[in-house]
Amino acid sequence: MGLFNFFKKNNEVPASLFYDTEVHCHILPGIDDGSPDVATSVELVRQMQEMGIRRIIATSHVTESTFENTPDTIGAAYDSLRDALDKEGIDVAIHTSAEYRMDEYFLMQLNNNTLLPYPENYLLIENSFFQPFWEIKELIFDLQLKGYTPILAHPERYMYYHKTPQIYKELHDQGCLFQVNFLSLAGYYYPEVKAMALRLLEKGMVDFVGSDIHNFKHTEFMKEFLKTKEYRKLAEKASAVINNNKIVF
């Protein structure tokens, strides 16, 4: 998808995202802190389509003690959403995966070979927002040995990494890809988070951009940002480097 297809000749502000494959969102109903029900999920998908999304990798949380999802719970939520979308005549490709918190529950699923990766064996992993997974480099190496390509979700949001920013280069050089949130780039979170997201982009360490949509507040903020001149500049920089649309499914 060409970037400038989004920009009309009369210089109207673009209304679409600079990627059409969503790689991080919480739209499956009722299994994490994202969409609570099928009706909400359907409307979130509609709004994503309005922003240019054509393919979705749904990444429900998998977290010890809070969202201990499995392929079965994720599959059941997907089936209920797929049925509703089909009844509404909404044509969108959805692949089920997960956002895996690095914790004991994740390690158990890894050992049991019950993970749900992206297509091409990418695997979305995340830290706690309160403290890092201390053995992350060892875990990344183990994942690579098992044939996965790890993607660290929203690294810009881990404020503790801001104090030792060299960790970003170390992890990226190790082969851990980075997925930055569109909401971070748009300024939805703290200013420091936006600054770090832009810094990672400037340094060539943003491999994927994902919305991390959980609710309508997120989609409305994104749609407003798409109307800004700042978005035009961001789209020119980011569209040339991200790999969202290269994932095949």
Side-chain angles (χ1 to χ4, degrees):
M1 180 178 294
L3 169 63
F4 295 101
N5 290 338
F6 299 143
F7 302 148
K8 296 184 179 179
K9 292 182 179 179
N10 61 3
N11 293 322
E12 290 181 8
V13 175
S16 294
L17 292 162
F18 51 83
Y19 55 89
D20 62 23
T21 300
E22 176 57 67
V23 300
H24 182 175
C25 62
H26 299 268
I27 60 163
L28 295 186
I31 59 173
D32 66 5
D33 59 347
S35 172
D37 52 53
V38 172
T40 300
S41 296
V42 170
E43 183 56 29
L44 286 173
V45 170
R46 287 187 195 276
Q47 294 196 23
M48 292 168 75
Q49 286 189 314
E50 289 173 4
M51 291 186 280
I53 295 300
R54 297 292 173 263
R55 302 186 304 158
I56 298 171
I57 301 175
T59 54
S60 300
H61 285 293
V62 177
T63 310
E64 187 175 23
S65 300
T66 51
F67 305 115
E68 293 189 345
N69 282 307
T70 66
D72 287 340
T73 61
I74 292 170
Y78 165 78
D79 288 343
S80 62
L81 174 57
R82 184 75 266 173
D83 288 346
L85 292 172
D86 290 344
K87 288 177 182 177
E88 293 290 325
I90 298 174
D91 182 19
V92 61
I94 299 178
H95 179 91
T96 55
S97 186
E99 179 184 12
Y100 289 99
R101 175 72 56 82
M102 290 177 279
D103 56 26
E104 290 300 322
Y105 187 66
F106 169 67
L107 295 177
M108 180 186 72
Q109 291 199 317
L110 175 63
N111 290 332
N112 292 338
N113 294 314
T114 55
L115 300 179
L116 284 176
Y118 286 16
E120 303 173 52
N121 251 21
Y122 292 111
L123 193 71
L124 189 68
I125 57 176
E126 70 161 347
N127 272 314
S128 162
F129 288 115
F130 301 106
Q131 63 182 25
F133 186 79
W134 296 111
E135 298 178 346
I136 186 171
K137 292 180 181 178
E138 291 80 1
L139 177 58
I140 288 170
F141 181 72
D142 288 344
L143 290 172
Q144 291 168 333
L145 283 180
K146 289 180 177 289
Y148 297 108
T149 300
I151 303 173
L152 184 60
H154 41 60
E156 74 282 1
R157 296 189 65 194
Y158 307 130
M159 302 286 280
Y160 41 77
Y161 280 167
H162 293 193
K163 300 174 182 178
T164 54
Q166 69 271 15
I167 188 64
Y168 290 113
K169 186 176 188 305
E170 292 171 3
L171 293 176
H172 203 258
D173 285 351
Q174 190 182 349
C176 182
L177 305 181
F178 288 170
Q179 174 266 304
V180 162
N181 281 5
F182 184 87
L183 287 165
S184 298
L185 294 164
Y188 181 83
Y189 311 108
Y190 297 112
E192 299 92 333
V193 171
K194 179 176 181 176
M196 182 55 73
L198 292 171
R199 181 178 178 182
L200 291 173
L201 182 61
E202 289 291 339
K203 290 185 174 294
M205 289 192 283
V206 175
D207 303 286
F208 299 93
V209 171
S211 67
D212 202 2
I213 284 171
H214 284 66
N215 51 55
F216 297 131
K217 187 177 180 181
H218 289 165
T219 56
E220 290 305 314
F221 191 93
M222 290 174 65
K223 286 190 285 186
E224 287 303 309
F225 184 68
L226 291 177
K227 300 175 184 178
T228 65
K229 292 181 179 179
E230 183 182 359
Y231 171 72
R232 286 180 183 251
K233 296 178 181 178
L234 171 66
E236 281 195 77
K237 290 181 180 180
S239 62
V241 298
I242 65 169
N243 299 300
N244 292 48
N245 296 348
K246 297 178 182 178
I247 298 178
V248 177
F249 65 94

